[in-house]
Amino acid sequence: MIRITASSLLKHMAIIVSVLLIASALALAAPTYDANSKAYAASYSVASEYDGLPLSTITNCVAFAKYKVPSMPSMGNTTATKQANINSYTPQVGAIAIYGYNHVSYVESISGNTIVTLNGGFVGNDGNFTGHIERISGTAAELNIVGYWVPSGGQTPAVNNPNGCLDHVYGGDGMIKVSGWAFDRDDEYANIRVDVYVGGPAGTGEHPGNTVAKNVRSDVNSVMKVKGNHGFEASFVTSKRGTVKVYVYAINIGSGSNVLIGTKDVTITNPSYGYLDSASDAGGAVHLTGWAFDKDHPNTSIDVHVYIGGPAGVGECHVIKANKARDDVNRTMGITGSHGFDATVKTNKRGTVQVYAYGISLDGAPLNNNRQLINVKTVTVTNPVQVTKQANPIVAKAKQSTVTFKYAKVKNATQSVLLSRLITVSKAKGTVTYAKKSGNSKISVRNGKLYVKKGLKKGTYAVKVSVTAKGNSSYKAGTKVVSFKVRVK
């Protein structure tokens, strides 16, 4: 028989109450955390070097953060009380990361956009504390970090880098489509620029263009505690093909630097109904080759609209015809007709510009809805080559000093003679033409002949004839004056 005295009962009750109070305190202080969200992090592992800490520190995110940074203020037990302590939006080693849910962590290291954090108070999938400090890394967006508390007296960042996330990238026929969000806390109402690179990062990849983060994203505003519209979604033409990596950057405003907000692999296929094979400099012009056809009328030639210096509606527009033979295209696409183009178009643009080509269907509409059919190429347009032409070496001489017409014939009708019988021309560069320079009004020169008009009186008349060689790409035009006399007797 077990005998329990009053004093021992009180002692055991005190122990039970103490245990309940500790458990209650731990339940209040430790945030609930969905362990599945770790799947979005770049990596996570157990930081076993902290296994010797008291369990009350390991199982409480605030307690562990306080252990790492004793000067940390009270973070409270709610998401709101923790976020109220944010004093920076740029990560720094030694800072306390504050999340979009009820959690804080210690920033251990930073590499590029990857933040490595040490985390206490994690609950596993079974609903129990893991019993370890977790080392988790990823971008701020992946980890759902919304800001930082930087220790007073530390190096509080004076800059705010942009924040954002690349949600999706899709590949298509010669194009990509990107979507996500981006903002800069230097002006949370501003719609910042987002730059896209394909096949490599900024500086090495192809830069098909940029867009502006201006679409409504209420989810971003709610989690990141910002105002304004910061979503983006845009399509771009690219010359890249196959599986390539797409890099997307949020462009900084105010203090800070541009930030890579995401990379994703995507597969880009060849366009189905056309392709701009090449665009090359032709000195004040661009030489274009390629092919295009209308899938609804595959045997009929169509127009191609070329825009130099920007896409449709922005660039300088030129219209060419895809009507040259391309047997390779016909064999591959199983069509007949002529669908190639090989043309040179003059342009006022100079320097490095982008050339956009669009196939136009026979009903006047683009061959696909977003006008991004054929391709876009980059070309550096130089000034036309200035050729210094040489003087025309034309030589012209009269074969005889006087040409005679009988008055009996002139009296009744206009008379004529070929100038080639009167003038010898040699070494001329270009087409030769004749014109009367001076002489009696009844004597004329036209169509390579000298005419004496009916009724010209008897006499001798001085005549001068200009002989002009038009010239060519190497020689200027040149003129010689030949003098001779016309006698009517």
Side-chain angles (χ1 to χ4, degrees), residues 228-303:
N229 298 324
H230 304 293
F232 64 84
E233 181 177 283
S235 298
F236 301 93
V237 176
T238 173
S239 64
K240 299 295 184 180
R241 297 293 181 267
T243 301
V244 296
K245 192 176 292 294
V246 176
Y247 297 74
V248 177
Y249 295 82
I251 304 304
N252 179 71
I253 60 173
S255 61
S257 304
N258 301 338
V259 171
L260 176 66
I261 60 174
T263 65
K264 291 186 184 294
D265 289 329
V266 67
T267 299
I268 304 168
T269 55
N270 278 322
S272 300
Y273 310 117
Y275 195 70
L276 175 61
D277 292 330
S278 68
S280 56
D281 175 45
V286 177
H287 181 219
L288 307 159
T289 65
W291 56 272
F293 70 94
D294 185 338
K295 65 183 179 65
D296 295 323
H297 306 277
N299 303 322
T300 304
S301 298
I302 64 172
D303 286 340

Side-chain angles (χ1 to χ4, degrees), residues 269-435:
T269 55
N270 278 322
S272 300
Y273 310 117
Y275 195 70
L276 175 61
D277 292 330
S278 68
S280 56
D281 175 45
V286 177
H287 181 219
L288 307 159
T289 65
W291 56 272
F293 70 94
D294 185 338
K295 65 183 179 65
D296 295 323
H297 306 277
N299 303 322
T300 304
S301 298
I302 64 172
D303 286 340
V304 173
H305 289 188
V306 176
Y307 291 83
I308 301 176
V314 177
E316 177 186 275
C317 182
H318 302 267
V319 179
I320 59 178
K321 196 80 173 178
N323 60 359
K324 297 186 181 299
R326 282 292 297 265
D327 293 339
D328 58 329
V329 172
N330 289 5
R331 285 194 304 270
T332 301
M333 307 306 294
I335 58 177
T336 61
S338 298
H339 305 290
F341 57 88
D342 186 337
T344 299
V345 295
K346 292 183 178 180
T347 177
N348 293 321
K349 302 293 184 181
R350 295 293 183 271
T352 301
V353 295
Q354 288 186 305
V355 178
Y356 295 75
Y358 303 86
I360 305 301
S361 68
L362 293 177
D363 62 5
L367 292 184
N368 64 356
N369 291 332
N370 57 19
R371 295 188 65 89
Q372 298 171 348
L373 168 69
I374 296 180
N375 203 356
V376 59
K377 294 282 188 181
T378 300
V379 61
T380 300
V381 183
T382 61
N383 287 319
V385 176
Q386 300 298 324
V387 177
T388 302
K389 294 185 178 182
Q390 301 179 52
N392 204 304
I394 180 174
V395 175
K397 296 180 180 179
K399 291 184 176 181
Q400 55 194 66
S401 60
T402 303
V403 57
T404 302
F405 293 87
K406 293 183 178 181
Y407 176 72
K409 291 185 177 181
V410 173
K411 180 180 178 180
N412 297 314
T414 297
Q415 303 298 305
S416 67
V417 61
L418 288 171
L419 285 166
S420 59
R421 294 179 59 184
L422 307 178
I423 301 172
T424 299
V425 180
S426 61
K427 299 183 180 180
K429 302 298 182 182
T431 304
V432 174
T433 58
Y434 302 89

